[in-house]
Amino acid sequence: MGEAEADTGGRRRARGGGGAARRASRSAVSFETARFIERKIPNLDILHDEALEIIEANAETVLEEIGVMFVENPAALQRWRDAGADVQGERVHIPRGLARELVKTAPSKFTQIARNRARDVEIGGNSLVLAPVYGPPFVHDLKGGRRYATMADFEMFVKLGYMSPWLHHSGGTVCEPTDVPVNKRHLDMLYAHMSLSDKPFMGSVTEPSRAEDSIEMSKILFGADVVDANTVMTSLININSPLTFDGVMMGALEHYAAANQASIISPFIVGGAMAPVSVVGTLTQCLAEGLAGVAYSQLVRAGSPAILGAMVTSIDMNSGAPTFGTPETSQITYGMGQLTRRLGLPYRSAGSFTGSKIPDAQAGYETANSLNMGLLAGVNFMLHSCGWLEGGLASSPEKFVMDADQLGILHRMAAGVEIDENAQAMDALREVGPGGHFLGCAHTQANYQTAFWRSGVLDYKPYETWSEDGARSTYELAALKVEKMLADYQQPHLDPAVDEALRAYIAEKKSAMPDAFI
């Protein structure tokens, strides 16, 4: 259903603009975005069947013997009692097999629609959807260094995401705008995604009422009938590892699941601090937590879409700081992919992870390891795929465009290798023969424009030309790219009546409560 169609909260959706709106829509600039990735290459399976069965059995033991905590949430405890769990205080002991049975009602894949329906994404199966960094309170750029993020920064990242051709999703909290009250900033963040981009987006989870606001604003944007019939948001529900589900996150999950909106249900684990130091021990805990979380979403509403996540880092045992791009993290990510596929659920993991403070060589190595790990692990939704810096404490516009550029490689790798007549290039081999060169042959002339992936950021010039052009580092080139993208940005069309209704909803909600910064 197109964005001009109707209904909000039982009311006819506002329509307006008439001929002027239609003319504006026709004349609006729309930036090209690649379709979500559909893998034509195999996943990397590193665990044999016996290892998988051991981990699955151990996870069931964790759920039954140790149990999980559902804190400050009496309704959740009652749902578990009714489902047959042994509830002791706030600890839920889930009988062996119950969680696995409950998750069977969650769909193996689903479509999240965008207000520009050409940008709908399919999550699950062989697909990979790429979304930007999520959650940092700081912004770090070349010109100003590190500072607290503002709403202007947030809007900048949404614009960059809209204009990045390899990025399929606008994401959620691309940075935390600290200049807006905590209890009101979700309204401005949602409006930025809805108005400055036409890609799919995420809802708010920081308080259950904010999830309600996300749903109501989506009904204004899409129409209530569309929201009732489709997934229009995918939102992040973090588990408090180890084995704890807090009332705030579960409250948000309950609203989204009841409205048939998707949730990423994800442990957030620093290995050695929030999970065992061993790969198999961490996989056991991740699986137990994920099973309990997805099962609970199905107790709220059977059939509601859910993505099983694994946000896992290792730890520097000297400083206690999280580390990224490590072999152990990759092994966990690959293993969790196998376990998730055996459950028939979509999988979230990986991203542009680095502990580096600036976009330097450390950032490049760690990010490359983390992105490729996600591609090969069978990840279906990759949050943090661009812009992550300083262990997730900072969003960087320069790293955003550097990472977003590299996402093009994932597209090319996932497409596999063609074996048709053109790809075999026998005509070129015959034409050139021994001792010749292929630059001028007919096959090269016919294919040179698409034969090799080319970066839109990195420098390929000879040394002399590079030096004459200012000997710029990749960091500096990325800063120039950011400037150009923002200068070229043009806002996608939004029906004026819908825009007015969104603004009115935000104004009404803000006026009804005092500012709060905690």
Side-chain angles (χ1 to χ4, degrees):
M1 208 174 267
E3 70 169 24
E5 296 189 21
D7 203 82
T8 172
R11 307 181 302 274
R12 284 294 297 172
R13 170 175 165 177
R15 302 185 62 145
R22 288 190 293 274
R23 287 191 296 274
S25 180
R26 287 194 297 269
S27 64
V29 173
S30 180
F31 295 94
E32 291 296 320
T33 296
R35 179 178 165 83
F36 60 87
I37 292 173
E38 295 180 88
R39 288 182 183 82
K40 297 180 181 178
I41 60 174
N43 298 314
L44 178 55
D45 293 340
I46 66 168
L47 297 174
H48 51 70
D49 286 346
E50 182 182 1
L52 293 167
E53 290 165 4
I54 288 171
I55 293 166
E56 289 170 340
N58 288 345
E60 293 285 357
T61 299
V62 169
L63 292 175
E64 185 173 51
E65 293 185 12
I66 302 170
V68 294
M69 298 289 288
F70 275 76
V71 298
E72 299 178 349
N73 195 339
L77 299 176
Q78 189 58 50
R79 286 190 177 98
W80 279 116
R81 284 191 196 93
D82 294 343
D86 176 17
V87 179
Q88 300 177 18
E90 293 186 319
R91 186 173 295 203
V92 179
H93 296 266
I94 303 172
R96 190 172 294 269
L98 175 58
R100 188 170 290 270
E101 187 64 28
L102 288 170
V103 303
K104 289 179 180 178
T105 59
S108 60
K109 61 182 177 180
F110 62 92
T111 297
Q112 181 184 351
I113 69 170
R115 70 178 180 93
N116 177 349
R117 294 300 305 273
R119 293 178 174 163
D120 292 359
V121 293
E122 186 175 285
I123 302 172
N126 291 323
S127 72
L128 170 56
V129 175
L130 301 168
V133 62
Y134 186 109
F138 297 104
V139 168
H140 194 141
D141 61 26
L142 180 61
K143 184 179 294 184
R146 187 180 192 260
R147 65 179 187 279
Y148 279 105
T150 66
M151 195 62 216
D153 292 318
F154 189 99
E155 292 170 349
M156 171 193 65
F157 283 115
V158 173
K159 292 175 182 178
L160 291 175
Y162 171 60
M163 297 184 67
S164 297
W166 306 116
L167 197 63
H168 316 118
H169 202 284
S170 193
T173 308
V174 287
C175 63
E176 193 73 46
T178 59
D179 58 337
V180 181
V182 169
N183 60 332
K184 299 178 180 180
R185 65 180 61 154
H186 67 289
L187 300 165
D188 293 335
M189 291 191 286
L190 281 163
Y191 179 71
H193 283 299
M194 292 175 172
S195 62
L196 301 178
S197 176
D198 59 10
K199 295 182 179 182
F201 58 89
M202 303 173 75
S204 177
V205 297
T206 53
E207 208 276 332
S209 67
R210 295 167 199 164
E212 288 186 278
D213 286 337
S214 301
I215 295 166
E216 290 305 310
M217 288 179 67
S218 293
K219 289 179 179 179
I220 296 171
L221 181 68
F222 291 98
D225 55 342
V226 176
V227 173
D228 290 343
N230 297 275
T231 299
V232 302
M233 280 181 292
T234 297
S235 302
L236 177 62
I237 305 297
N238 279 321
I239 298 166
N240 284 348
S241 302
L243 304 172
T244 302
F245 297 78
D246 72 78
V248 172
M249 281 287 170
M250 289 303 100
L253 168 65
E254 289 159 7
H255 285 298
Y256 286 124
N260 209 34
Q261 300 305 306
S263 292
I264 304 166
I265 301 170
S266 183
F268 192 128
I269 287 175
V270 178
M274 299 150 69
V277 294
S278 66
V279 168
V280 171
T282 298
L283 283 170
T284 298
Q285 181 180 316
C286 274
L287 181 59
E289 291 177 343
L291 273 170
V294 176
Y296 182 65
S297 75
Q298 301 308 293
L299 288 178
V300 175
R301 178 169 173 168
S304 59
I307 303 169
L308 198 157
M311 172 62 196
V312 178
T313 77
S314 48
I315 192 172
D316 176 33
M317 286 297 187
N318 289 324
S319 68
T323 54
F324 302 89
T326 61
E328 296 81 15
T329 298
S330 294
Q331 290 169 337
I332 293 166
T333 303
Y334 293 135
M336 199 62 196
Q338 290 179 259
L339 292 162
T340 303
R341 286 189 290 277
R342 285 162 69 94
L343 289 170
L345 294 171
Y347 179 40
R348 171 262 166 142
S349 195
S352 59
F353 299 143
T354 180
S356 184
K357 316 313 177 278
I358 60 172
D360 57 5
Q362 177 185 341
Y365 286 129
E366 291 175 342
T367 294
N369 287 345
S370 300
L371 291 176
N372 284 304
M373 150 188 103
L375 175 66
L376 297 176
V379 169
N380 301 117
F381 191 93
M382 190 189 294
L383 196 59
H384 310 301
S385 69
C386 58
W388 170 291
L389 203 61
E390 198 187 334
L393 288 175
S395 297
S396 163
E398 293 86 4
K399 189 163 184 293
F400 191 108
V401 300
M402 291 160 64
D403 295 340
D405 176 66
Q406 291 294 295
L407 297 179
I409 294 177
L410 302 191
H411 284 75
R412 179 61 69 94
M413 284 294 296
V417 178
E418 294 290 344
I419 195 64
D420 60 12
E421 185 175 346
N422 181 64
Q424 293 174 46
M426 290 302 296
D427 54 342
L429 291 165
R430 292 188 179 100
E431 178 184 342
V432 174
H437 71 79
F438 289 83
L439 289 176
C441 77
H443 183 269
T444 300
Q445 294 301 307
N447 290 280
Y448 77 94
Q449 290 182 314
T450 59
F452 305 111
W453 179 84
R454 182 177 176 85
S455 169
V457 176
L458 303 183
D459 184 278
Y460 298 130
K461 301 184 186 79
Y463 177 86
E464 291 78 11
T465 308
W466 168 77
S467 182
E468 290 170 2
D469 287 346
R472 297 187 183 100
S473 67
T474 303
Y475 197 1
E476 292 169 309
L477 292 172
L480 293 173
K481 179 76 171 179
V482 169
E483 289 180 9
K484 182 174 184 349
M485 290 175 71
L486 294 176
D488 291 344
Y489 171 81
Q490 294 188 40
Q491 187 171 356
H493 174 70
L494 179 63
D495 187 315
V498 173
D499 188 45
E500 182 180 353
L502 286 169
R503 289 174 178 270
Y505 181 89
I506 292 169
E508 181 180 356
K509 295 296 290 190
K510 284 186 174 183
S511 67
M513 53 186 165
D515 292 350
F517 282 90
I518 57 172

